[in-house]
Amino acid sequence: MSLTAAGSVLLLGLSSADAQTKLRAANIHGATQPYTLALERWSENVAAATDGEITISVHPSGSIVSNQQDSYSQVKLGTVDATISIAVKDDVPELQLAAFPYAFRNYEDWRAFMDGPEMAAWMEEFREKTGIRILGVQYLGARHFTANKAVLSPDDLDGMKIRAVELPIFLETIRGLGALATPVALQEVLGGLKTGVIDGQENPIPTIYQLRFFDAQDHIMLTGHLLGGDFWMMNDARFQSLTPEQQETLQEEARKAILWGDEYLIQQETDLLAELEANGMTVIGEDDGLDVDAFVEKVRANVWPKLESEIGADALATIEPDTAQ
């Protein structure tokens, strides 16, 4: 091979390498949890659809981002390209309807609202204010309480230290039900339960199972007090640096991965509940004396008025009356 030909091959090789876009996606969820699995699916499908022009490395379990707010902050700064987070309050409070206590009867009502015009408008406002593009909202499931005793009504939560996500909706929901809201990082919850730093916690069934909270708690109450999800966020400047075709691929594959994650989690809500029972947890539902109506009434009376001042009465009014529990 001539020197000229060899040089051409080398230049072509450099151009190909230079053209590759490497993105980093990080979250706080475990490697086997639905959010991380959906990110992995996104990564694989984007790489396939772009013939390797775009690669996305996924960093779960808080290895890069430590909590919801840190996830948001690192994407805003651009130190991480993408994440999954619910930290939207300070910029567009209305987006908090993605995870709001006793607002939706079921997944179908929730998904319809997430894909509706109001959420689309708030997401665009969020992008303009923060420089963060929201690629979609992934279902996290219905949240339930766990404890080392049966909690049949809100009165049974009085004085209990319940772990809370350090965001207003989660804090106010737990406080409004009469418990002591105690912020603890997700990775530290099991240790906190074992040592008595907290008396209980609330999370979706897959999270309770994957993080082995059954090693420290023996009751799960199917309160379903908050049905919602988290936002797929991407640094918008990074997104805009891609070609229009790459942007379309990234967005479309995110949508597919999110819906796949939704279906996966919905199935887990059933399958893993049986696994929790097999690991010694007593499952308490309405047939076992759980007074869900009392939880709904207390949230509506104590929590909704406070959160309405957070998100605005007009935003809360966008929820159709027949979709609320």
Side-chain angles (χ1 to χ4, degrees), residues 163 184-194 198 201 203 213:
R163 179 262 177 174
V184 176
L186 186 61
Q187 296 80 9
E188 299 172 6
V189 172
L190 181 57
L193 292 170
K194 288 181 175 180
I198 46 178
Q201 63 84 51
N203 258 300
F213 294 154

Side-chain angles (χ1 to χ4, degrees), residues 43 106 132 239:
S43 171
N106 52 46
I132 296 174
F239 182 87

